[in-house]
Amino acid sequence: MKVTIKDIARLSGVSITTVSQVLNGKGKRFSEETRQKVLKVVAETDYRPDYFAKNMINPQSKTIGVIVPDITDLFFSKVIEGIEMYLNEKGYVILLCDSHHSDEKEEHYMSELMDRAVEGIILATPNSIALDNLLELKQHFSFPYVLLDRGINKREGGNILVDEYAGAYEAVSYLIESGHRRIGMLANDSRFYKMNERADAYRQCLSDHQIVWEEEWVVNNAVTIEGGYLATKELLAKTNVSALFCGNDQMAIGAYRGIYEAGLKIPEDISVIGYDGLDITQYLTPSLTTVYQPAAGIGQAAAEILVDAITGSYHDYPNKMFPTELIKRESVALASQITT
Amino acid sequence: MKVTIKDIARLSGVSITTVSQVLNGKGKRFSEETRQKVLKVVAETDYRPDYFAKNMINPQSKTIGVIVPDITDLFFSKVIEGIEMYLNEKGYVILLCDSHHSDEKEEHYMSELMDRAVEGIILATPNSIALDNLLELKQHFSFPYVLLDRGINKREGGNILVDEYAGAYEAVSYLIESGHRRIGMLANDSRFYKMNERADAYRQCLSDHQIVWEEEWVVNNAVTIEGGYLATKELLAKTNVSALFCGNDQMAIGAYRGIYEAGLKIPEDISVIGYDGLDITQYLTPSLTTVYQPAAGIGQAAAEILVDAITGSYHDYPNKMFPTELIKRESVALASQITT
DNA sequence: CTGAAAGCGCTTACAG
DNA sequence: CTGAAAGCGCTTACAG
């Protein structure tokens, strides 16, 4: 039998009004004696106000929905951590959904979360949401949401971006400065995030340095370890490059394996650069030179904007742009030192 | 202005009873005309029944609380994935909490989740919960919970276990069969999971093979990549071994780095075995020989037991024991081939 | 086939 | 300083 506020009132010999007020710290107008009496009964019965009844009156679910394409992705799990740490401190809890890269699941979860009275949603998506869906969102969402989509979906504010282009350009420049001319790239041709922006920077950088780009230098595959591995196998089978710019760190980890299986060494035979700056990359052998972007910081920024929006601090979401940073480690060598 | 059932009733010219019944598919006793009229208004207004009002009457939050020590841990993110996939299919959504290995946060979240009317909790914890807390749990939890603690906390049922001991024993046996005699171990002396069981198996296995164990062969550190790295540095500085059994895969990844920095090669100079069987291990160079345990399967098993308990299929939780499997890959060589 | 009314467990004016 | 009563938005016997 669930204990209700009525029971507490009866047991402590006061009205339910008094119980409610004491528990919520409203009106300090009760005698200390009354307070203690009520509190004692509450403790004894381990009474917990009904979550639903309470929220029906003043809805404050203190819950945020978070949708990511893959929980096990090293980048996203770090983003989630950033979100969680910030939100937890503010008393929010997250309802976590894994869309498994599926549009349908994403929509399904959006709807599910709306039904569940979340106070806001953070949607990390590689997809460009169909325009009418976006409009529908705008119209029906009685609560704020932040898109973590690298700006794929155009909107006025709340863009949380990373200077992808600059990061990629710097990485490729570094390879060129190191004397490399034949530079491959592991990319992804889906609209997955702004991978294409990284690829654009790569091509532009080569062009800016008068390097004639060869189409077979770029291989597309999934942005996973396996994808990087497969792409590398394919790349090495059809051409030879002295350096490889990987779309992300996970692909770079796969590339390490592909290069190893080809009997080549990093960086003696081929230099490698990744993108993301995952913690693990500093422990790879050799440690990976990579373009760092603050995954946890991105998560936190999304959470901050959302909380501000919920608490009504503003109505125009601010934009936020994170710079990247090239972390130079062991995986890049001067082209002149290449042994092959 | 929030649209309520009253509005729908008014707009479609029927009673709220009718609206409610049509929406919930109760009583097929309405004329098709009435149904369509109601449904049309609902669609037009994008009416969504109030989550709290609805649940106050028949509480079915369809929400499960999940607490893990670290979201970014490769093992746990896989466990979460297993939980999520099973639960999603059954219409549940997870409220995810990261205890960051802290007892206090764990307790805080337990209480928070209780207040939030979850229907059950999966608590993955390396901690042994204080006995009185456990009893208190039993007493006050009006809902079921499953502990993912490797059986640290004794209880009657709902133990989801992995045959840790057998897995570790098999790994060390394999090293011995390969001719290794000086075998180190990266362990963890906290009560983190059943790491000690793996250490026990390691020692027993050596002893069973008449190998006199030296204390400096075992180094304790955090069960992370960094911990593995640091432990390896320490181990190699004070003794020399021809093989290394790592408490988990993350430690093994760190060991790879430590061994690399010592100027040694795997497996030519030193053989390495990990524990967990994370996806990434097959892409390491060399690929890691490891003791596989089904992380996603463990998550799913916990979710299954929980759902069955919620839906009242049983009151005595079943126990579940998963076997491990030694995956032999490139990181172990015959001792006779060791070059040093 | 449909509706008026009671009630879920709270909070909050309002009255005393 | 405290309580009786209205009301939040639903569902569900019950009556017709």
Side-chain angles (χ1 to χ4, degrees):
Chain A
M1 207 44 221
K2 189 183 166 98
V3 22
T4 72
I5 196 170
K6 259 190 204 154
D7 300 320
I8 305 300
R10 184 168 38 77
L11 258 34
S12 44
V14 297
S15 72
I16 58 170
T17 305
T18 301
V19 175
S20 174
Q21 312 242 51
V22 166
L23 250 32
N24 293 306
K26 296 270 170 75
K28 323 173 194 306
R29 45 190 183 166
F30 304 100
S31 67
E32 191 54 23
E33 200 193 326
T34 309
R35 279 194 64 249
Q36 292 306 334
K37 205 164 48 181
V38 172
L39 259 22
K40 184 155 166 277
V41 175
V42 166
E44 284 170 3
T45 54
D46 192 49
Y47 165 68
R48 287 166 188 272
D50 184 86
Y51 179 67
F52 301 114
K54 194 168 183 154
N55 273 280
M56 190 164 58
I57 297 161
N58 22 32
Q60 281 190 60
S61 67
K62 281 284 185 179
T63 305
I64 301 291
V66 175
I67 305 176
V68 295
D70 182 2
I71 296 175
T72 66
D73 182 288
L74 300 181
F75 181 75
F76 288 118
S77 65
K78 202 72 190 171
V79 170
I80 296 172
E81 188 183 52
I83 293 173
E84 198 271 347
M85 286 182 75
Y86 182 82
L87 250 30
N88 168 28
E89 197 176 272
K90 304 278 180 186
Y92 292 87
V93 171
I94 69 179
L95 223 31
L96 185 69
C97 307
D98 187 333
S99 66
H100 292 279
H101 284 95
S102 142
D103 295 28
E104 291 140 52
K105 283 212 172 186
E106 215 170 69
E107 279 187 40
H108 162 73
Y109 273 131
M110 287 297 273
S111 173
E112 183 75 35
L113 290 174
M114 287 195 235
D115 285 339
R116 282 161 183 277
V118 295
E119 292 189 52
I121 288 184
I122 294 174
L123 170 60
T125 176
N127 301 314
S128 52
I129 299 168
L131 187 61
D132 50 336
N133 279 345
L134 245 194
L135 291 178
E136 205 183 331
L137 272 186
K138 267 235 157 83
Q139 192 177 339
H140 297 315
F141 265 29
S142 44
F143 53 81
Y145 61 96
V146 173
L147 257 36
L148 242 36
D149 65 346
R150 312 281 161 121
I152 287 178
N153 300 288
K154 284 289 159 255
R155 55 197 179 281
E156 297 102 58
N159 285 290
I160 297 176
L161 301 173
V162 170
D163 200 348
E164 311 269 349
Y165 192 93
Y169 198 96
E170 186 181 4
V172 179
S173 297
Y174 175 58
L175 289 173
I176 294 173
E177 281 160 25
S178 302
H180 295 280
R181 287 296 172 271
R182 298 183 63 83
I183 301 172
M185 175 169 184
L186 307 188
N188 184 280
D189 54 0
S190 78
R191 298 212 34 172
F192 188 84
Y193 279 106
K194 285 248 163 158
M195 196 62 83
N196 55 332
E197 204 164 292
R198 299 179 196 172
D200 289 347
Y202 154 80
R203 265 190 292 260
Q204 185 61 47
C205 185
L206 291 185
S207 155
D208 288 351
H209 290 81
Q210 283 77 46
I211 295 173
V212 180
W213 173 69
E214 294 178 25
E215 199 175 328
E216 55 192 15
W217 289 356
V218 175
V219 178
N220 292 301
N221 213 309
V223 291
T224 59
I225 296 178
E226 187 189 17
Y229 168 70
L230 295 173
T232 301
K233 297 281 266 192
E234 185 185 335
L235 181 79
L236 296 180
K238 65 182 178 189
T239 184
N240 73 310
V241 294
S242 72
L244 190 54
F245 174 48
C246 303
N248 72 4
D249 283 346
Q250 298 195 99
M251 290 185 99
I253 294 172
Y256 268 47
R257 178 75 202 175
I259 289 166
Y260 172 87
E261 288 185 7
L264 300 174
K265 285 207 172 313
I266 304 168
E268 293 86 342
D269 300 317
I270 184 167
S271 291
V272 177
I273 292 188
Y275 206 113
D276 277 352
L278 301 177
D279 292 338
I280 191 175
T281 58
Q282 66 183 295
Y283 293 99
L284 295 180
T285 52
S287 58
L288 180 69
T289 292
T290 182
V291 180
Y292 173 79
Q293 59 172 334
I298 289 170
Q300 173 167 344
E304 268 187 56
I305 290 182
L306 197 60
V307 169
D308 285 350
I310 290 168
T311 52
S313 305
Y314 47 69
H315 283 294
D316 292 331
Y317 293 12
N319 291 314
K320 194 140 190 173
M321 169 73 91
F322 287 95
T324 58
E325 185 194 347
L326 180 64
I327 304 178
K328 297 178 184 176
R329 290 200 282 235
E330 302 166 345
S331 64
V332 175
L334 292 177
S336 55
Q337 297 175 336
I338 287 185
T339 52
T340 48
Chain B
M1 207 44 222
K2 192 185 163 93
V3 21
T4 72
I5 195 171
K6 257 190 203 152
D7 300 320
I8 305 301
R10 184 169 37 77
L11 257 36
S12 43
V14 297
S15 71
I16 58 171
T17 305
T18 301
V19 175
S20 174
Q21 311 241 51
V22 166
L23 250 32
N24 293 306
K26 298 271 171 73
K28 323 174 191 303
R29 44 188 186 167
F30 303 100
S31 66
E32 191 53 24
E33 200 193 328
T34 309
R35 279 193 65 249
Q36 291 306 334
K37 206 164 46 182
V38 171
L39 259 22
K40 184 155 165 277
V41 174
V42 167
E44 282 169 3
T45 55
D46 192 49
Y47 165 68
R48 286 166 188 273
D50 185 86
Y51 180 67
F52 302 114
K54 192 168 183 155
N55 273 280
M56 190 165 58
I57 299 162
N58 23 32
Q60 282 190 61
S61 68
K62 281 284 186 180
T63 304
I64 302 292
V66 176
I67 305 176
V68 296
D70 182 1
I71 295 174
T72 66
D73 182 288
L74 300 181
F75 181 75
F76 288 119
S77 65
K78 202 73 188 170
V79 170
I80 296 172
E81 188 184 52
I83 293 173
E84 199 270 349
M85 285 182 75
Y86 183 82
L87 250 30
N88 167 29
E89 195 178 275
K90 303 278 181 186
Y92 292 87
V93 171
I94 69 179
L95 224 31
L96 185 69
C97 306
D98 187 332
S99 66
H100 292 279
H101 284 96
S102 145
D103 295 28
E104 292 139 51
K105 285 213 171 186
E106 214 170 69
E107 277 186 40
H108 161 75
Y109 274 131
M110 287 297 274
S111 173
E112 183 75 34
L113 290 174
M114 287 194 236
D115 285 338
R116 282 161 183 276
V118 295
E119 293 189 51
I121 287 183
I122 294 174
L123 170 60
T125 176
N127 302 313
S128 51
I129 300 169
L131 189 62
D132 49 336
N133 279 344
L134 244 193
L135 291 177
E136 206 183 329
L137 272 185
K138 269 232 156 83
Q139 193 177 338
H140 296 315
F141 266 29
S142 44
F143 52 82
Y145 61 96
V146 173
L147 257 36
L148 243 34
D149 65 346
R150 311 280 162 123
I152 287 179
N153 299 289
K154 287 288 159 259
R155 55 197 177 279
E156 297 103 57
N159 285 290
I160 297 177
L161 302 173
V162 170
D163 200 347
E164 311 270 348
Y165 192 93
Y169 198 95
E170 186 181 6
V172 179
S173 296
Y174 176 58
L175 289 173
I176 295 173
E177 282 161 24
S178 303
H180 294 281
R181 287 296 172 272
R182 299 184 63 82
I183 301 171
M185 174 168 184
L186 307 189
N188 183 282
D189 53 1
S190 78
R191 298 213 32 174
F192 188 85
Y193 279 107
K194 285 248 164 160
M195 196 63 82
N196 56 332
E197 204 164 292
R198 298 180 197 172
D200 290 347
Y202 154 81
R203 264 189 293 263
Q204 185 60 48
C205 185
L206 291 184
S207 155
D208 288 351
H209 290 81
Q210 282 79 44
I211 295 173
V212 181
W213 173 70
E214 294 178 25
E215 200 176 327
E216 53 191 15
W217 289 356
V218 174
V219 177
N220 291 301
N221 213 309
V223 291
T224 58
I225 295 178
E226 186 188 17
Y229 167 71
L230 296 173
T232 302
K233 297 282 267 191
E234 185 186 334
L235 181 79
L236 296 180
K238 65 182 179 190
T239 186
N240 73 310
V241 295
S242 72
L244 189 55
F245 173 50
C246 303
N248 71 5
D249 284 345
Q250 299 194 99
M251 291 184 100
I253 293 172
Y256 267 46
R257 178 76 202 175
I259 289 166
Y260 172 86
E261 288 185 7
L264 301 174
K265 285 207 172 313
I266 304 168
E268 292 85 343
D269 300 317
I270 184 167
S271 292
V272 178
I273 293 188
Y275 206 112
D276 277 352
L278 301 177
D279 291 339
I280 192 176
T281 58
Q282 66 182 296
Y283 293 99
L284 296 179
T285 53
S287 58
L288 181 67
T289 292
T290 183
V291 180
Y292 173 80
Q293 58 172 334
I298 289 170
Q300 172 167 345
E304 268 187 57
I305 290 181
L306 197 60
V307 168
D308 285 350
I310 290 169
T311 51
S313 308
Y314 49 69
H315 283 293
D316 292 331
Y317 293 11
N319 291 316
K320 194 140 189 173
M321 170 72 92
F322 287 95
T324 58
E325 186 195 347
L326 180 64
I327 304 179
K328 296 177 185 175
R329 291 199 282 234
E330 303 166 345
S331 64
V332 175
L334 292 177
S336 54
Q337 298 176 334
I338 287 185
T339 53
T340 47

